[in-house]
Amino acid sequence: MTKVRTRFAPSPTGYMHIGNLRTALYEFLVAKKDPEGVFILRIEDTDQGRLIEGATDIIYNTLAQCKLFHDEGPDVGGNYGSYVQSERMKSGIYKEYAEKLIELGGAHYCFCQEEDIQAQRELAEARGESFIFHDPCKSLTIEKAKTRISNGESYVVRQNIPTEGTTSFDDEVYGTITVENSTLDEAILLKSDGYPTYNFANIIDDHMMEITHVIRGNEYLSSTPKYNLVYKSFNWNIPTYVHCPPVMKDEHHKLSKRNGDASFQDLVSKGYLPEAIINYIALLGWAPETEQEIFTLDELKQAFNVKRIGTSGAIFDIDKLTWMNGVYLRNMDIDTYYDTVKNYISEGVKGNYCHKEIAKILQQRVNTLSEIVEMVDFFDTYNVFDRELYTNKKMKSNPEVALSSLKAAKELLETLTNWEETTIHDEMMALVEKLGIKNGQLLYPVRVAITGKQFTPGGAIEISYILGKEETLRRLELAIQDLDK
């Protein structure tokens, strides 16, 4: 049995779009489902006008962050290099294969200028017909075409499409698709500057690198019949196709880098973990056989099956990703978690407080890393706040209740000689019982008083312990004075 070989073939044109990253993930999972499978990275940089400096490094870094390690590629080598299309072009392989395809009858030289094509387009529009270019150069013999080339005429190489009949292909997601050949345009394969088009270079490279499975977006469904005609002209094996539904911004619009939608780098900068992003995008269009939603990458390798990919677009739900990211943070052991959040805590807390204790109270409440700075800013800054913050129906608290509770709490805490979290807890709970009130009627006002916030990452007892006795009592006194006015 032939071992599975897949390739992720991005263009270095900017940040990693979520749809592209999902393609890389699916390519990786299909390869790694086979114990001997090979996942390849190929850089497709033949569209020189769209290249962005540093974008190739972004591709490398993104795959590394997501642990989608490639077995072959420009940076790790392999037996099928070069793995950069512009370097492959310099060897002349695309021109060589274009000329072979012409000899096999699958393509022809075309000398038409843009005005010739535009004239046909305008005529089709005037007739209300869809435009397909009918190339008069198709009737030229190879000998006549080569004579014109030797005379210095500029040319492109166009594909030959049969005018009759149909072309079919099988897709793992969409099944068998058949199209009328008359609806297919004879696209350019080799441009006048000698560069191959994306579609042609893709076919040649996939064949030469022995790619067995091609995973890509369903926008390529319409081009696939033309790819297959090239494969058949060369009598090459056709890869297994897996076309994926689009990732949608909403019901009507695709998620698009061009429209400024979030890239992988944007999400990481907003505090999302690479492993949570990968887990989430795996589920955008693919459904596991069970109700499980949280997967490690190793678990995805075992569970992934292309037959479970749907045909409908999957809407990117940032709230679902945020929830999933929170699950990942809460599932970390404390040391891993602290290493993950410590820089964010250091950014938000400059005072002499135990950052590891702060990390502990954050873990069960934070969903994204970018939330942390604002969640912990009260340790350094104690601002005046509206006394109505003490009003909370659920806690049965209001400014009057708060004033009474704060005075009692301050009086109690002043007597403590052992400022440990368990001691604070036990004494405060005893005070609740002594006063004959609900827990919230004491703890909620204390928490508000020492933080100045309605929502905090920890409760009154935990935060009092971290603040320390002196600072806790100072803040309680300021709050009491404010309520006593």
Side-chain angles (χ1 to χ4, degrees), residues 170 206 211-214 216 228 231 236-242:
D170 293 322
D206 283 350
I211 300 303
T212 61
H213 292 68
V214 171
R216 59 190 175 209
N228 278 11
Y231 276 108
W236 289 344
N237 290 330
I238 294 173
T240 298
Y241 292 118
V242 181

Side-chain angles (χ1 to χ4, degrees), residues 257-271:
K257 179 170 64 176
R258 202 167 290 173
N259 293 335
D261 293 322
S263 66
F264 171 77
Q265 284 70 29
D266 291 329
L267 292 174
V268 170
S269 70
K270 291 175 181 177

Side-chain angles (χ1 to χ4, degrees), residues 358-370:
I358 295 174
K360 287 180 182 178
I361 65 172
L362 281 168
Q363 187 165 15
Q364 296 306 313
R365 296 166 177 87
V366 69
N367 286 313
T368 64
L369 300 175
S370 58

Side-chain angles (χ1 to χ4, degrees), residues 378 381-386 389-390 445-456 475:
F378 65 86
T381 306
Y382 184 66
N383 296 317
V384 176
F385 56 91
D386 189 335
L389 207 57
Y390 291 111
V446 169
R447 182 171 62 80
V448 170
I450 63 177
T451 65
K453 288 177 174 280
Q454 183 177 7
F455 302 106
T456 56
R475 294 185 182 195

